[in-house]
Amino acid sequence: MIVSIHFEDDQKTIQVEANQRLTKVCDEHPGSILFGCRNIACGTCLIEVVRGMENLAPVMEEEQILLDFLAPANPNVRLGCQCVVQGDICIRVAN
Ligand code: FES
């Protein structure tokens, strides 16, 4: 299945095979989302999911702990380095 990832900051939409890591997609199509550690430690990859939160693989406990610390009041954030894209999404870098 092909899915669409829209990057708001870069004004571009990429179409990829489903169930890929967002890190892999961004490695192949560099843009505004930065990845420091890729391992739930730095928080540089914090993104806001504008549409399609249900199309990302669920949050695991370790990611949730860092999300609660970085953006406790925002239920629409994810760590980009932990996202596996299962359907169409629209994302942007979180402030
Ligand atoms: S790249 Fe460091 S937490 Fe995602």
Side-chain angles (χ1 to χ4, degrees):
M1 183 174 93
I2 300 293
V3 302
S4 291
I5 304 173
H6 182 69
F7 295 86
E8 269 201 352
D9 306 283
D10 307 308
Q11 293 291 306
K12 69 178 178 186
T13 303
I14 309 276
Q15 301 208 310
V16 298
E17 245 338 292
N19 296 309
Q20 290 197 56
R21 289 198 154 272
L22 190 58
T23 46
K24 180 169 184 277
V25 176
C26 290
D27 285 347
E28 290 167 3
H29 306 275
S32 299
I33 300 173
L34 303 175
F35 301 97
C37 67
R38 300 180 178 228
N39 197 27
I40 320 179
C42 69
T44 57
C45 65
L46 192 69
I47 57 170
E48 187 159 357
V49 183
V50 181
R51 284 189 302 281
M53 182 63 101
E54 70 281 7
N55 291 330
L56 292 169
V59 183
M60 295 297 162
E61 191 181 346
E62 249 184 302
E63 181 185 354
Q64 191 62 57
I65 290 168
L66 189 52
L67 289 175
D68 288 344
F69 176 73
L70 293 172
N74 190 345
N76 298 321
V77 291
R78 291 291 305 261
L79 294 176
C81 68
Q82 299 305 303
C83 288
V84 175
V85 185
Q86 300 174 328
D88 296 350
I89 58 170
C90 174
I91 57 180
R92 64 179 170 225
V93 174
N95 302 310

